[in-house]
Amino acid sequence: MIYARALRQLGVVMMLALSITACTGADPSGHRPSAAASRGVTRPTSNPASTQASSVAPHEPATSVPVLRRVGVSLPLNRLAGFIKTTGSVPNQLGIYQQWAAGLPFDAVAGAAAMSRGMSILVNWEPWAPQCDCAEQLDWTDRKIASGAHDAYIRAYARSVKAFTLTGGHVTLRLGHEMNGNWYPWAAGANGNTSADYIAMWRHVYIVFTAEHVPNVRWMWSPNLAYPGSVAMSALYPGDRYVDDVGLSGYNFGAGDGFHWETFSTLFQPSLDTLRRIAPRKPLYLAEIGCAPQGGNKAAWIADAFRQVNKRRYIAGITWFEQRTQRDWTIEDSPADVRAWRAGVTLLQGN
């Protein structure tokens, strides 16, 4: 699979211009946000082989609550079987990425592969055309989406999801993630969008989608780790009525390129605290997490991440980004990383 080039992000430019490392500026709470927080991570594009209002429409969430202490993995479908074999673990959830500009329906092939293994599926549902590697895309502004310009696609996608969920599948839609940054055209810090525009977009998509009465679907609102210059998460929350789960993206970029090694707690705790204040009654997931090998002991970091998640009982699950982009986030090629992963999965799934 061919990946898009690394996403440009203003926080990184600011960081390099100021000759600091790992975004050492303090946020209003006094914490030191990580450099990893100030940079988008390249995601895979849609699989070309895949087939197939004024008031809030009734939302029909999953018939069963999500698996607590859920462990997920985001990787291409053709690597899932190998990952399971190598790690000796079956994740609870498979993460995939689908971009609106591709015009594809829900990836029923990936959905069926996940369901056959007892896994739910997390769709990172991205309203953009990633090929240009840019955030300025006038076709994908929040205002345009909220105006109804893409309603035909939204309805068609909803119906394709419904066809899958009616067979017993469970889907989480992670719509327009990392909206507090500026590297995506739906983000409040890019493409002429405001925080109000983002909220209007989210609510509009939710209303159009749920008007199709799709069962077994959950909506995940998922910002990036806060960093100097990021938009306040609280200004972007669509409201409890429109959200089922809350997620968070965060990466330890390790050493080099203006970054330095950071612990799980240093990276995540400030943003976790913020999300708990915003949506205290919503399940909270680490929806995208990774660690680079440069600058420290990756296996030890993985082991510590699982221990820290296990201690924070309010974290409902973790999804590992098993891809190679700006860094090698994968664990499969390192026996030490695999051992740490396997022990972590046992720890979380056993509690």
Side-chain angles (χ1 to χ4, degrees):
M1 179 176 290
I2 299 175
Y3 298 104
R5 299 194 309 277
L7 300 172
R8 291 187 292 272
Q9 207 283 332
L10 181 59
V12 173
V13 175
M14 293 169 58
M15 176 189 66
L16 295 176
L18 295 173
S19 300
I20 59 176
T21 59
C23 273
T24 54
D27 70 7
S29 65
H31 296 291
R32 295 170 55 241
S34 142
S38 63
R39 186 174 189 175
V41 172
T42 307
R43 310 316 198 286
T45 56
S46 301
N47 180 3
S50 298
T51 56
Q52 302 225 114
S54 60
S55 60
V56 180
H59 176 43
E60 300 181 15
T63 53
S64 59
V65 297
V67 178
L68 292 181
R69 321 304 287 174
R70 184 173 66 198
V71 179
V73 62
S74 290
L75 80 178
L77 179 59
N78 61 8
R79 288 178 46 214
L80 178 59
F83 179 87
I84 292 173
K85 181 178 180 180
T86 299
T87 63
S89 65
V90 180
N92 303 116
Q93 188 174 72
L94 171 66
I96 65 172
Y97 292 79
Q98 291 198 276
Q99 295 78 34
W100 289 23
L104 295 173
F106 169 74
D107 191 340
V109 174
M115 188 166 64
S116 70
R117 294 173 170 86
M119 304 166 67
S120 64
I121 191 159
L122 170 68
V123 180
N124 300 279
W125 201 28
E126 304 176 320
W128 74 322
Q131 291 79 8
C132 83
D133 186 21
C134 60
E136 302 302 315
Q137 298 185 23
L138 296 182
D139 283 342
W140 303 105
T141 64
D142 289 337
R143 287 186 185 182
K144 189 160 188 176
I145 297 170
S147 75
H150 298 286
D151 283 4
Y153 166 74
I154 298 168
R155 290 192 190 95
Y157 193 86
R159 291 166 185 164
S160 68
V161 172
K162 185 175 184 176
F164 170 71
T165 58
L166 286 175
T167 68
H170 289 251
V171 176
T172 295
L173 292 175
R174 187 174 175 240
L175 169 65
H177 58 281
E178 299 173 13
M179 74 302 291
N180 56 326
N182 66 4
W183 47 89
Y184 286 126
W186 62 77
N191 213 20
N193 301 319
T194 66
S195 298
D197 292 335
Y198 178 83
I199 290 174
M201 180 277 290
W202 177 287
R203 291 180 177 180
H204 179 80
V205 173
Y206 177 100
I207 290 167
V208 173
F209 192 103
T210 57
E212 297 296 328
H213 302 285
V214 185
N216 293 341
V217 168
R218 299 185 67 86
W219 292 80
M220 179 181 286
W221 176 77
S222 182
N224 193 76
L225 291 173
Y227 64 91
S230 63
V231 179
M233 295 180 190
S234 59
L236 294 160
Y237 186 57
D240 286 352
R241 190 175 185 182
Y242 302 87
V243 172
D244 294 307
D245 301 320
V246 170
L248 184 64
S249 295
Y251 292 84
N252 175 23
F253 274 75
D257 303 323
F259 297 93
H260 72 262
W261 192 268
E262 296 195 71
T263 67
F264 174 92
S265 296
T266 300
L267 276 170
F268 284 95
Q269 196 59 56
S271 293
L272 289 171
D273 291 342
T274 297
L275 290 178
R276 293 185 74 194
R277 289 192 296 268
I278 293 171
R281 292 179 296 277
K282 300 296 182 181
L284 197 165
Y285 293 92
L286 301 181
E288 222 179 280
I289 183 173
C291 178
Q294 299 95 331
N297 187 325
K298 182 174 177 178
W301 195 95
I302 294 169
D304 179 63
F306 276 104
R307 286 194 299 270
Q308 298 302 324
V309 169
N310 192 51
K311 287 196 294 187
R312 293 160 172 82
R313 304 304 297 178
Y314 58 85
I315 298 179
I318 177 175
T319 296
W320 190 266
F321 187 72
E322 184 69 4
Q323 316 264 1
R324 293 182 179 89
T325 57
Q326 297 104 314
R327 299 283 196 266
D328 183 357
W329 310 110
T330 64
I331 65 174
E332 294 173 78
D333 295 334
S334 166
D337 292 352
V338 168
R339 286 193 296 272
W341 168 268
R342 186 182 297 125
V345 171
T346 299
L347 178 65
L348 291 194
Q349 292 184 340
N351 283 281

